[in-house]
Amino acid sequence: MSDQRDVIEVLTHDHREVEQMFAELESLRGATSEDAQSRRKDLVEQVTIELIRHAVAEEAEVYPAVQDKLTKKEAERARKEHAEAEETMKRLERLEPEDSGFEAELATLMREIREHVAEEEGEMFPRMREVFSQDELDKLGSRVKGVKMLAPTRPHPSAPDRPPGDLLLGPVVGLFDRLRDAASKRGTER
């Protein structure tokens, strides 16, 4: 059996994984034990890693295709939403679960991402299914998976989010992020 999934299946799967992490974060809200705080920090790191990789792949592959075949407005709106969420992730990255401001930033991130997901799944993805051929969706899915493997894992709000800058800097920044993650064990169960 092939592991081939089209781009909408790949991105929807990412959305469900992030939502599962959000649900666990919400279930741990108010927990004060050291284990619970540590788990919350780990989950926020993992959510950030997944969201950044997902966003970079969308910006490199999906949004240019959407801009070409659907509308520039839709692609621009999605890029703007990514930029706002990346700023929130950058602020959240600097906080510990016990810090004042952590809950507010986490709630902001969850709201931003849930709204973005609802728009993509409710509007953009159905339109893509209508306009793109299955072969185009399959090829985009393969390219998105490839980009995610090389993408950065930390928020870089000032980095370019369009070709050619994102395509040139993304893999280099991604390599440095993964080296930092390995050294600090970020994004892994500790």
Side-chain angles (χ1 to χ4, degrees), residues 11 16 40 49 55 60 64 76 83 94 96 105 138 151 163 172 174:
L11 298 175
R16 296 297 86 75
R40 291 190 90 211
I49 289 167
E76 288 300 316
R94 297 181 191 119
E96 295 296 326
E105 291 295 347
D138 290 343
V172 174

Side-chain angles (χ1 to χ4, degrees), residues 63-77:
Y63 298 160
V66 165
Q67 189 167 318
D68 288 345
K69 292 194 83 160
L70 297 176
T71 67
K72 183 177 181 177
K73 179 182 169 191
E74 212 159 351
E76 288 300 316
R77 183 191 72 223

